[in-house]
Amino acid sequence: MGDHGPAKGLSRWLFTTNHKDIGTLYLWFSFAMFLVGGIFALVIRAELFEPGLQIVQPEFFNQMTTMHGLVMVFGAVMPAFVGLANWLVPMMIGAPDMALPRMNNWSFWILPFAFFMMLSSLFVEGGAPNFGWTFYAPLSTTYAPPSVTFFIFAVHIMGASSIMGSINIIATIMNLRAPGMTYMKMPLFVWTWFITAYLLIAVMPVLAGVVTMMLMDIHFGTSFFSAAGGGDPVLFQHIFWFFGHPEVYIMILPAFGIVSQIIPTFSRKPLFGYDSMVYATASIAFLSFIVWAHHMFTVGMPLAGELFFMWATMLIAVPTGVKVFNWVTTMFRGSISFETPMLFSIAFVILFTIGGFSGLMLAIAPADFQYHDTYFVVAHFHYVLVPGAIFGIMAAVYYWLPKWCGNMYDETLGKTHFWLSFVGLNVTFFPMHFVGLAGMPRRIPDYALQFADFNQIASVGAFLFGASQVFFMFIVIKTIMGGKKATDQVWESAEGLEWTIPSPAPYHTFTTPPEVK
Amino acid sequence: MSSSNSNSDYEHYYVPESSKLPIFASLFLFVTVYGAATLFNNMSGMPATFQGDWVHWILILGFVGFSWVLYVWFSTTIRENLQGLPSAQLKRSYVMGMMWFIFSEVMFFFAFFGALFYVRNLAGPWLGGEGAKGIANMLWQGFQYDWPMMITPQQAAEAAGGQVTAMNNEFSGPDKHMAFPGFGAMFGWLPLWNTIILLSSSGTVHIAHHALKEGNKKKMKLWLGITVLLGIIFVCLQAYEYYEAYEHYGLTLNAGIYGSTFFMLTGFHGFHVCIGAFMLLVMWLRATQRDHFTPEDHFGFEAASWYWHFVDVVWVGLVFFVYIF
């Protein structure tokens, strides 16, 4: 026990109980899904390059928007964060592994099966799900393609995977911290994941509940989402967004943790306001449960509902503002250097804040009647998800990759990748604000002539962004294959237990826990 | 189980060797749900990759395979425990795992209770024309909201000669409902007996747990056995209630939102009672056939009893919000 190295060949990856192996599996799976979801996005952008229908039919276009969203949310962003948690949480708290190593492997291996089931529906009669990633009833019930049943069960087992993954993370953090590693000494990445895991356990079962109601409506004659039987399609939206809003924070809180690790390192200063960061994260998590109906301002809620959800939503700006203030203040008068992870982190702070501000605009209920279901919404959530979640993940990969594989990435290539991504994403998503405010609806394959210019710009940006992610894959593989050897600490002023162990990190770390002062 | 956090706890955290269990669990879980989806699509006349009389065998293969993997998995864990491999710290991980698993189950039921509250307090009255949304009654002329909903909007609109559009299903309300019949008739009311049975089974499992902690294994086996029996009786009565509902009450899954919420809430609860009773049965077999539990080390038993208390609490919610009020 403790000293065995990795098994040989494929069985290492199939049967592993090692948190580092499983983290690697998650990260590669997520990257594969990122590329698949990216291809779907490029089909969308290619079609939207010009008004009129030229490449795909509307029916297939709808499948692309749906699958792009589902694959990116459940296949790319969430598994990437779980992969990072697997790699980093045990090393950061001085634990030998995750608390429940076999279940850890199970959580991962469910995912490829679930996505096989979901993606294979592209090739069956009736096509893939085409009702948007939010799968509103009755589009996803009465009018759904036959593949909806497979989609429902794919969501069920993905949910099981997420719940088991979260239970594992919670048990690890609560139970496996090294002596002296009190809660308020934990690195912020651990804290943000701790809170994220609670969000996951609380809302993934609600998602399972709502897809089960869909299943019953479709196959067993219930009327949850049919007014004819006394149900209500809007009920679907309420339950979905009760899951969906915490879900969007599930996709951003771990990124908050990542930049809170990186910015102090490259500013050569401790994080400003550690305690307030923890409390802000917890506040955001709490608020995420009571703001869901701001996604549904236009369905015809009573005025009291509109007002409550509007004010509650705007309240989120307070803890989020605390975080942005702390990141900026950490950099203030720091001795900053701009290595690739820092570039991604600074871009995160700036661009995520832009996404946050457009979120505030959308939070104003009367204004939302204008913005609702336009490209402005698309611009908003891509600004929080791409430079938010995705840049957070990329920053983490550049920051910890030397620790994982023992080699430094090529700084010039990393910076090139950053600037290509940065330019690509802004060219893609910034024009969407304009066409959205001008009234271009989302989820359509064709549009009025007046939107053509900005759409062409966005499409060019999308292909630039897409290509630069293939370049990213090249950089990562090149780094794993070889390169300058990394030191144990890797970064001049990096702090934390993971920098005290050798690079690359041995197969087993902290089999005897370190003493944390 | 030691609750001290001494340093010796940390030094022997048991990290298992690589294991074939999870990949097979994933595979068979996939086969199970793929089989279920294929079967449902076949039943509803919707296309699926596989068609024919045999498709239920996919589901059966998956389920049998999955059960087998779980059996081997739990056996492995129990064997490791008997060998003394897990440290006190690892056992705490199991405890936390079970706790948060139950919490996730609570949230699953929360979704269905939430649906019930939304329909009863908001959507139903609006459909009946109440409030600023009275306009909705234009769609469902003559619909009056009442709970239990005996006449669906569709029926009401058809009776009023209104035009009913965009319908892919017939939703006719039930003839009779399952709600509280008043104190005079309450002793002939099945849910009352089910409540008595399930609440007392929580008591009996508690007695069994205490007997185990006192080292009185004979008493523990007896009361645990009684708990399992009570659980089985509950499930049988629930099945009888469903039979009555379908045969004599006209209360079906098709019977509008009342039938939908009734069967989803009681159905998923009943399913969880089955799981809980099965867990307790396994614990009873482990106690009687293998003598697995000691007064100090019996977390399998404790986890199953937590689960049992959880299904009991859900039942209390059901009694109030599905049956009585």
Side-chain angles (χ1 to χ4, degrees):
Chain A
M1 185 179 78
D3 296 311
H4 56 93
K8 294 277 173 284
L10 189 63
S11 64
R12 167 176 179 184
W13 303 105
L14 290 177
F15 309 141
T16 183
T17 48
N18 180 284
H19 72 103
K20 300 182 182 81
D21 282 353
I22 295 170
T24 305
L25 284 169
Y26 265 112
L27 287 169
W28 277 114
F29 173 78
S30 127
F31 193 73
M33 287 298 120
F34 182 54
L35 293 184
V36 170
I39 289 167
F40 296 159
L42 292 183
V43 173
I44 295 169
R45 282 320 317 170
E47 175 57 48
L48 293 175
F49 186 71
E50 284 177 346
L53 294 178
Q54 41 275 325
I55 298 171
V56 294
Q57 291 304 302
E59 173 59 23
F60 189 70
F61 184 89
N62 289 343
Q63 295 176 29
M64 287 293 104
T65 52
T66 306
M67 296 305 271
H68 166 69
L70 290 170
V71 167
M72 286 303 195
V73 169
F74 294 105
V77 174
M78 289 170 68
F81 281 135
V82 183
L84 291 170
N86 257 292
W87 254 104
L88 297 171
V89 169
M91 296 201 306
M92 284 177 160
I93 62 173
D97 205 296
M98 296 293 282
L100 304 160
R102 281 182 294 235
M103 193 172 82
N104 198 16
N105 177 313
W106 193 19
S107 308
F108 170 74
W109 275 106
I110 285 175
L111 288 179
F113 288 105
F115 277 89
F116 168 76
M117 189 148 91
M118 205 159 82
L119 290 171
S120 65
S121 65
L122 279 164
F123 307 101
V124 301
E125 195 183 333
N130 56 6
F131 27 67
W133 90 272
T134 53
F135 48 102
Y136 279 8
L139 289 177
S140 61
T141 53
T142 312
Y143 306 103
S147 57
V148 67
T149 319
F150 294 86
F151 157 79
I152 288 170
F153 280 108
V155 169
H156 269 136
I157 61 175
M158 272 177 227
S161 154
S162 286
I163 291 168
M164 288 191 289
S166 313
I167 287 175
N168 215 339
I169 287 168
I170 288 176
T172 307
I173 295 173
M174 291 180 80
N175 196 24
L176 265 64
R177 278 169 292 122
M181 177 63 80
T182 58
Y183 279 110
M184 290 313 269
K185 278 188 195 161
M186 292 195 310
L188 261 173
F189 179 72
V190 180
W191 253 117
T192 51
W193 240 117
F194 192 41
I195 291 166
T196 304
Y198 281 110
L199 290 183
L200 276 166
I201 310 189
V203 299
M204 291 314 278
V206 176
L207 176 69
V210 77
V211 293
T212 307
M213 289 181 220
M214 279 168 56
L215 184 76
M216 298 299 285
D217 271 15
I218 293 167
H219 292 291
F220 298 97
T222 55
S223 52
F224 287 104
F225 308 132
S226 171
D232 187 353
V234 177
L235 170 62
F236 174 89
Q237 299 183 26
H238 279 292
I239 309 176
F240 176 82
W241 284 115
F242 185 84
F243 146 79
H245 198 79
E247 167 69 21
V248 302
Y249 291 175
I250 287 162
M251 292 190 284
I252 199 64
L253 294 186
F256 285 174
I258 291 164
V259 296
S260 304
Q261 304 289 133
I262 293 174
I263 288 178
T265 297
F266 296 102
S267 306
R268 290 163 183 81
K269 275 176 66 191
L271 183 71
F272 182 87
Y274 171 94
D275 291 17
S276 63
M277 284 298 216
V278 173
Y279 300 137
T281 311
S283 312
I284 292 171
F286 168 74
L287 288 171
S288 75
F289 286 104
I290 54 165
V291 297
W292 76 87
H294 67 214
H295 296 270
M296 330 164 23
F297 279 143
T298 60
V299 294
M301 271 187 297
L303 186 61
E306 303 269 326
L307 287 173
F308 172 79
F309 286 108
M310 176 169 87
W311 293 120
T313 303
M314 294 174 110
L315 213 53
I316 298 176
V318 177
T320 312
V322 169
K323 298 192 84 82
V324 174
F325 179 85
N326 286 353
W327 289 320
V328 173
T329 315
T330 305
M331 287 186 273
F332 181 67
R333 291 187 151 182
S335 172
I336 304 180
S337 57
F338 297 93
E339 285 84 347
T340 312
M342 185 61 167
L343 288 175
F344 275 104
S345 300
I346 295 172
F348 172 100
V349 174
I350 297 166
L351 299 181
F352 175 81
T353 305
I354 293 178
F357 280 139
S358 58
L360 271 176
M361 292 171 70
L362 288 160
I364 300 166
D368 181 71
F369 276 69
Q370 173 75 15
Y371 311 144
H372 191 88
D373 264 351
T374 68
Y375 256 86
F376 188 77
V377 177
V378 178
H380 157 69
F381 70 72
H382 281 93
Y383 258 87
V384 288
L385 282 173
V386 180
I390 302 285
F391 270 24
I393 293 161
M394 285 169 178
V397 169
Y398 282 110
Y399 187 59
W400 282 289
L401 189 61
K403 177 54 64 186
W404 299 338
C405 71
N407 303 323
M408 287 304 283
Y409 63 87
D410 185 320
E411 196 62 63
T412 316
L413 295 184
K415 280 180 177 155
T416 312
H417 168 232
F418 167 75
W419 284 110
L420 288 175
S421 300
F422 180 85
V423 171
L425 98 88
N426 282 296
V427 171
T428 309
F429 298 115
F430 212 81
M432 292 184 185
H433 291 111
F434 306 137
V435 286
L437 289 177
M440 178 169 160
R442 62 191 285 208
R443 290 172 175 157
I444 50 154
D446 187 9
Y447 50 83
L449 225 53
Q450 77 226 36
F451 304 129
D453 295 351
F454 282 131
N455 269 293
Q456 294 200 333
I457 295 171
S459 289
V460 171
F463 278 85
L464 173 64
F465 186 81
S468 49
Q469 304 326 314
V470 179
F471 182 52
F472 175 51
M473 180 169 71
F474 164 76
I475 297 171
V476 171
I477 293 174
K478 183 172 177 293
T479 311
I480 294 171
M481 306 288 278
K484 203 171 111 238
K485 293 287 161 233
T487 60
D488 291 355
Q489 202 190 1
V490 182
W491 309 106
E492 182 182 83
S493 51
E495 284 188 28
L497 287 176
E498 79 268 34
W499 308 113
T500 64
I501 54 179
S503 301
Y507 198 57
H508 292 282
T509 39
F510 298 127
T511 33
T512 307
E515 196 76 45
V516 179
K517 298 287 178 297
Chain B
M1 196 188 330
S2 132
S3 60
S4 74
N5 246 354
S6 71
N7 219 355
S8 62
D9 271 8
Y10 289 98
E11 275 160 26
H12 306 287
Y13 199 86
Y14 174 59
V15 179
E17 299 281 332
S18 60
S19 166
K20 293 188 175 63
L21 290 163
I23 186 80
F24 281 104
S26 307
L27 174 69
F28 284 117
L29 184 62
F30 163 71
V31 176
T32 307
V33 294
Y34 192 85
T38 305
L39 182 65
F40 289 169
N41 267 19
N42 272 262
M43 275 167 28
S44 305
M46 287 155 71
T49 309
F50 299 106
Q51 311 266 345
D53 297 336
W54 59 275
V55 292
H56 58 277
W57 287 106
I58 309 175
L59 175 61
I60 292 171
L61 170 74
F63 184 74
V64 170
F66 188 57
S67 309
W68 170 72
V69 175
L70 286 187
Y71 175 78
V72 177
W73 196 324
F74 279 106
S75 308
T76 309
T77 315
I78 292 165
R79 197 170 49 246
E80 285 168 353
N81 192 45
L82 293 174
Q83 289 166 358
L85 294 173
S87 61
Q89 200 188 7
L90 174 57
K91 289 180 183 179
R92 275 202 299 280
S93 292
Y94 288 144
V95 174
M96 287 172 185
M98 189 67 195
M99 267 168 47
W100 294 109
F101 169 65
I102 290 177
F103 175 69
S104 78
E105 292 272 44
V106 170
M107 291 308 293
F108 181 72
F109 278 96
F110 183 79
F112 292 103
F113 275 107
L116 179 70
F117 296 150
Y118 180 80
V119 167
R120 289 187 54 175
N121 295 310
L122 298 169
W126 291 340
L127 279 171
E130 203 178 273
K133 294 177 174 295
I135 194 169
N137 220 340
M138 284 170 64
L139 289 172
W140 310 104
Q141 280 173 37
F143 173 67
Q144 305 241 314
Y145 173 70
D146 207 6
W147 193 266
M149 191 184 286
M150 308 302 283
I151 296 166
T152 62
Q154 187 181 23
Q155 277 176 300
E158 275 163 0
Q163 205 190 345
V164 178
T165 51
M167 216 58 58
N168 64 332
N169 223 326
E170 284 297 320
F171 302 113
S172 303
D175 310 320
K176 279 204 282 183
H177 58 70
M178 288 279 175
F180 188 57
F183 288 100
M186 67 187 250
F187 291 108
W189 185 54
L190 199 56
L192 174 74
W193 296 105
N194 263 343
T195 308
I196 294 168
I197 289 165
L198 208 58
L199 287 186
S200 36
S201 77
S202 241
T204 54
V205 80
H206 187 70
I207 296 172
H209 189 196
H210 268 262
L212 176 56
K213 282 207 271 198
E214 287 154 15
N216 190 342
K217 287 196 180 175
K218 212 175 145 207
K219 190 175 166 195
M220 180 268 282
K221 288 171 199 168
L222 173 70
W223 287 97
L224 183 56
I226 291 173
T227 311
V228 174
L229 278 181
L230 288 172
I232 293 170
I233 293 170
F234 175 90
V235 173
C236 293
L237 286 178
Q238 194 73 10
Y240 177 68
E241 185 181 82
Y242 277 19
Y243 164 78
E244 283 284 300
Y246 261 77
E247 288 300 312
H248 301 126
Y249 283 59
L251 178 56
T252 66
L253 280 168
N254 251 306
I257 194 68
Y258 178 60
S260 305
T261 51
F262 177 83
F263 282 108
M264 280 299 254
L265 278 157
T266 58
F268 270 108
H269 176 263
F271 174 59
H272 282 77
V273 173
C274 292
I275 296 173
F278 182 74
M279 284 162 70
L280 289 173
L281 177 66
V282 171
M283 297 309 148
W284 185 76
L285 289 172
R286 285 179 63 190
T288 54
Q289 309 297 312
R290 295 278 189 276
D291 194 26
H292 270 170
F293 303 119
T294 65
E296 296 78 33
D297 191 6
H298 52 260
F299 182 64
F301 177 98
E302 212 170 338
S305 79
W306 286 354
Y307 199 81
W308 196 249
H309 292 310
F310 151 72
V311 296
D312 204 28
V313 170
V314 173
W315 178 256
V316 174
L318 286 181
V319 169
F320 280 113
F321 297 114
V322 174
Y323 289 103
I324 295 183
F325 296 113

